[in-house]
Amino acid sequence: MGGTGRTDVIVVGGGVIGLTTAVELAERGRRVRVWAREAAEHTTSAVAGGLWWPYRIEPEEQVGDWSLRSLAVYEKLAADPERTGVRMVDGVHADTSLDGLGPWAARVSGLRAATAEECAGPGLWARLPLIDMPAHLVWLRERLRAAGGAVEQRTAHRLDEALAQAPDVVNCSGLGARGLVPDDSVRPVRGQLVLVENPGLRTWYTAADPASSATTYILPQPGRLVLGGTADDGDWSLEPDPAVARAIVERCARVRPEIASARVLGHRVGLRPSRPAVRLEREPRGADGALVHNYGHGGAGVTVAWGCARAAADLVENRPAP
């Protein structure tokens, strides 16, 4: 398709939300172009830890359904991890209990209280999708191309630019929505990670400190161990902080001592596009067109990507939300 011929839908934003939405639309037969400000491997999505779990995202009454729809897709994609980047991996959410979760938790197969051997205190044991985001983003782009869609490296300065070239536009601009819409309720939540050599860990671990922005997570990804992290509201800095990196490694080493001597491979920082609640709605434009918003997913973009993509595509087709 490239940049020629008729375009039915332009998706603004080339992260996991934008690419997944574009795939959903293209596989429904729409001629889709993605306008991406930067290559997918340079987006916030590429920095994400990649563990499926509804995290820091509202509205609660819809997040469960979006997450479960996505979970069902990832469980199928995990049959081909080399291509899709999706694996099903066991692990523990420390300081978490079933009664503290929404109704969606009852539909997650195998989710149970952790034993004393699995977790020092209260926690949940689960087998969840763990997604190698750089690999998954490449796979999404190839799946889009196979469905006839295209990705164009282009910065949208106004959404009207896209509406001038296609009757329907889906705004998946993430943090960019702050200026594009404009929407002042969109804020960065800075996350810093440390990548180290994996000393042999096969399970993931997470723990949140409710008294601070610090989190502790250990995610075994192909060729590396991802250690985190932070959740600094309103912080726009993309520079890794050496003191924060040392603190991350120290927290993770308290859980798994062998991490203390693991060789550091690199540092990553991403700005999660936070909002009080996901904006997923349709604005009619022109006689038959629409501007559909699909942004504000915070740190749970990969968790809800397929569920939100389906809902956004339904809105493009002017179907009522389920």
Side-chain angles (χ1 to χ4, degrees):
M1 178 174 127
T4 62
R6 181 171 66 88
T7 299
D8 296 328
V9 188
I10 290 175
V11 175
V12 178
V16 68
I17 293 293
L19 289 175
T20 307
T21 300
V23 167
E24 177 75 22
L25 285 160
E27 292 183 350
R28 294 187 185 196
R30 295 299 186 107
R31 299 180 187 184
V32 182
R33 268 192 295 160
V34 174
W35 284 7
R37 184 178 58 192
E38 53 199 350
E41 54 268 28
H42 298 140
T43 63
T44 296
S45 297
V47 181
L51 180 67
W52 179 95
W53 192 254
Y55 170 70
R56 294 174 67 105
I57 182 171
E58 297 285 345
E60 185 178 349
E61 62 273 15
Q62 291 173 284
V63 165
D65 285 341
W66 296 335
S67 299
L68 290 169
R69 288 188 189 280
S70 302
L71 175 62
V73 174
Y74 293 133
E75 287 173 337
K76 292 177 182 176
L77 296 181
D80 191 3
E82 295 299 320
R83 281 200 324 121
T84 67
V86 182
R87 296 170 297 131
M88 299 299 293
V89 181
D90 294 328
V92 168
H93 284 301
D95 304 317
T96 306
S97 61
L98 283 170
D99 57 10
L101 303 177
W104 58 267
R107 294 169 57 190
V108 178
S109 178
L111 188 62
R112 60 168 174 79
T115 65
E117 291 75 25
E118 293 163 346
C119 187
L124 290 178
W125 180 270
R127 184 173 179 81
L128 300 176
L130 183 57
I131 299 145
D132 181 3
M133 291 305 298
H136 186 62
L137 291 165
V138 169
W139 175 82
L140 279 171
R141 194 166 52 210
E142 292 306 313
R143 180 164 167 175
L144 175 61
R145 286 176 180 154
V151 177
E152 178 181 343
Q153 192 158 339
R154 174 171 178 165
T155 299
H157 300 286
R158 295 179 298 112
L159 292 172
D160 285 345
E161 294 174 20
L163 286 161
Q165 296 197 25
D168 293 309
V169 169
V170 187
N171 172 23
C172 301
S173 58
L175 195 56
R178 183 175 174 86
L180 265 181
V181 174
D183 185 346
D184 289 343
S185 71
V186 180
R187 296 170 55 83
V189 175
R190 182 181 182 277
Q192 181 168 330
L193 309 174
V194 181
L195 310 181
V196 302
E197 284 188 341
N198 190 343
L201 306 187
R202 296 186 177 182
T203 59
W204 51 263
Y205 173 91
T206 78
D209 182 353
S212 75
S213 65
T215 56
T216 301
Y217 51 87
I218 301 166
L219 306 173
Q221 293 284 14
R224 65 202 186 281
L225 198 61
V226 179
L227 309 180
T230 63
D232 300 316
D233 189 17
D235 189 338
W236 288 88
S237 174
L238 287 169
E239 287 298 315
D241 183 322
V244 170
R246 287 193 296 272
I248 287 171
V249 173
E250 288 168 4
R251 289 200 304 274
C252 292
R254 284 196 288 270
V255 179
R256 298 300 299 262
E258 58 267 50
I259 288 172
S261 56
R263 184 167 70 92
V264 174
L265 302 176
H267 302 271
R268 299 288 184 272
V269 174
L271 304 180
R272 306 175 183 97
S274 180
R275 193 173 185 272
V278 172
R279 187 178 185 191
L280 190 47
E281 62 179 312
R282 184 181 196 272
E283 293 182 23
R285 292 293 181 96
D288 301 306
L291 170 61
V292 172
H293 296 286
N294 182 14
Y295 68 88
H297 305 85
V302 70
T303 298
V304 299
W306 289 95
C308 286
R310 177 174 172 175
D314 285 348
L315 291 173
V316 169
E317 296 177 347
N318 205 15
R319 300 180 188 174

